[in-house]
Amino acid sequence: MLLLVASLLSVATCLPTMYNFNAWKAEHSKVYTSNEELVRLAVWMDNAKYVDQYNRRQDTTMTLKLNAHSDLTHEEFRKTMTGSVNNTKAYYKGMMEAASTYIEPENLQLPEQVDWREKGAVTPVKDQGQCGSCYSFATTGGVEGQWFRKTGSLVSLSEQQLVDCSSNFYGNNGCNGGLMNNGYRYIKDNGGIDTEESYPYEAVQKKCRFRADTIGAKVTGYVDVSSGFFFKTEHALASAVASVGPVPVAIDASHRSLMFYSGGVYYEPSCSAWNLYHAVMAVGYGTTGQGLWNDKYWIIKNSWGTTWGLEGYFRLLKDHNNHCGVASMASYPLV
C-alpha cells in the first residue's frame, strides 16, 4: 500500500503546480495516516481532473479552483458543508404563519447596484467547518445587519448558540441543518443572542450555554420576502436588499461546480429553485455588463471560509428564473 501511495504521489507531483498534492497539503495543513493518504489522494486527483476539465470549457465564463475541501468527495462535501434547509412544507405551513409579510416601500426606485459591505453592515466571512450549520450563519448574518442598521454598531453574534440551543422545540438540528426562521423565533423567545466573543463557534453541537449578561442583539420578529417560490420573481428580494439590508436566503448548493467556485457569475443549468440545501446571505447585487444575460448577479456571503470563492463570497446569476432558488426562502429579522 505504501508503494501505491508513493506512486500516486509521484504522479500528482508531475501534474502542473496548481495540482501538486504535496503543495496543496502544506497550504491547507493537511495531515493523514498512510491509509487516509491513499484515499484522499485518489479523491483529490479526481477533483483536480474535474476542475481542469471545467476550466477548459468554452461555454462558461465561470472559473473553478481547488480549495481546502478538495480531499472530499462531492457527496462528503454536501453532507458536511451544506446542512439541508429543504423543509419547505413545514416552512410554508408553520413558519409563515408567524412571519410578517414583506411590503415593498412605495415609489422605491431600485439602485443599479447595492453592496452592504461598503456600508459596514456585514461581519467578516466565517467558516462553518464540517458541520451542517449554515442556517446559523445566515441567521446571525441577518441579525447582525439589522442590528447595525438600528444601533450603528456591528456586533458578531454566536452561531454556536443557535447550534446548541435552537433544536428540539424550535426545530433546528444542530450540525444537521435548520431554518433561519426557526433561529429568529428562538432568539426572540430567548430574549437575545450572545456575542461571538462570549460564545465562540466550535463546529459541533454541545449543551446550551447561553448567558443573559453577554447578549449582543435581540429580535422582535421576522419578515418573509419569499415571492419567488411560486412566481419565480426576484423583484421583492431586490427591493428588500436595497431598502432593508442584507437578507438571508436558501439555495440549491448540491452541484459540484459550487464546491470549487472561484470566480465569475455562478450559473448551473440544472440548479433547482425548489431543492434548497444551503443557507447563505444576499448582501447586495450588481452587474458585469457582459455575458449572455448581461450577467446581473447577487452578491452572496457564504460560510465556507475565506479560502473558498471570492474571499468567501460568490456572484450568483440574478433575474434568471429564480436561479438556484435564491428568492424561494428569503427572510430577515426585525430588531
Side-chain angles (χ1 to χ4, degrees), residues 91-92 96 99-100 102 180-181 184 222-229 233-234 236-238 240-241 247-251 276 280 282 298 322 325-333:
Y91 178 82
Y92 279 93
M96 285 189 71
S100 300
Y102 176 71
M180 291 80 81
N181 285 8
Y184 303 148
Y222 52 93
V223 177
D224 265 302
V225 287
S226 303
S227 61
F229 191 84
T233 174
E234 300 167 49
L237 179 56
V241 170
V247 176
V249 300
I251 61 170
L276 309 177
V280 291
W298 295 103
N322 188 22
V326 66
S328 294
M329 197 182 288
S331 64
Y332 63 88

Side-chain angles (χ1 to χ4, degrees), residues 31-48:
V31 178
Y32 310 107
T33 66
S34 57
N35 288 335
E36 290 174 331
E37 185 102 350
L38 178 63
V39 173
R40 293 304 152 192
L41 175 57
V43 171
W44 182 90
M45 291 182 68
D46 183 65
N47 285 329

Side-chain angles (χ1 to χ4, degrees), residues 68-298:
H69 311 296
S70 301
D71 57 349
L72 299 177
T73 67
H74 183 225
E75 187 61 27
E76 288 173 329
F77 182 82
R78 284 183 56 183
K79 287 182 177 179
T80 59
M81 298 298 293
T82 55
S84 176
V85 294
N86 192 30
N87 191 4
T88 50
K89 182 177 180 180
Y91 178 82
Y92 279 93
K93 181 179 180 181
M95 298 301 98
M96 285 189 71
E97 293 176 1
S100 300
T101 301
Y102 176 71
I103 300 175
E104 184 177 343
E106 291 187 17
N107 303 316
L108 175 66
Q109 297 294 320
L110 291 180
E112 291 186 1
Q113 58 184 21
V114 174
D115 190 342
W116 284 99
R117 295 174 297 181
E118 298 175 351
K119 302 176 183 180
V122 184
T123 56
V125 169
K126 303 177 184 181
D127 190 346
Q128 69 186 74
Q130 292 188 18
C131 169
S133 56
C134 53
Y135 67 92
S136 68
F137 288 84
T139 301
T140 57
V143 179
E144 289 163 353
Q146 292 307 303
W147 195 252
F148 169 81
R149 295 211 67 196
K150 179 178 182 178
T151 67
S153 177
L154 184 63
V155 181
S156 184
L157 301 173
S158 175
E159 293 80 24
Q160 189 64 41
Q161 182 181 339
L162 291 171
V163 171
D164 293 342
C165 309
S166 69
S167 298
N168 299 324
F169 177 76
Y170 291 95
N172 287 332
N173 299 298
C175 282
N176 296 304
L179 293 168
M180 291 80 81
N181 285 8
N182 291 346
Y184 303 148
R185 289 174 59 236
Y186 161 74
I187 297 170
K188 176 185 176 182
D189 292 352
N190 188 63
I193 182 170
D194 284 341
T195 63
E196 185 89 52
E197 182 180 10
S198 66
Y199 200 155
Y201 187 65
E202 299 179 74
V204 62
Q205 186 175 13
K206 294 186 175 182
K207 182 179 178 180
C208 183
R209 291 157 286 156
F210 164 72
R211 288 174 47 188
D213 60 336
T214 53
I215 286 175
K218 297 182 178 182
V219 167
T220 61
Y222 52 93
V223 177
D224 265 302
V225 287
S226 303
S227 61
F229 191 84
F230 296 106
F231 305 109
K232 294 188 178 182
T233 174
E234 300 167 49
H235 181 80
L237 179 56
S239 170
V241 170
S243 62
V244 174
V247 176
V249 300
I251 61 170
D252 175 9
S254 64
H255 300 280
R256 196 178 184 186
S257 55
L258 187 62
M259 179 178 176
F260 298 107
Y261 169 89
S262 68
V265 177
Y266 184 77
Y267 172 66
E268 175 58 58
S270 57
C271 218
S272 172
W274 326 117
N275 296 318
L276 309 177
Y277 295 95
H278 189 47
V280 291
M281 193 165 66
V283 304
Y285 58 80
T287 179
T288 65
Q290 302 173 346
L292 184 60
W293 298 287
N294 205 32
D295 278 358
K296 290 186 288 184
Y297 59 82
W298 295 103

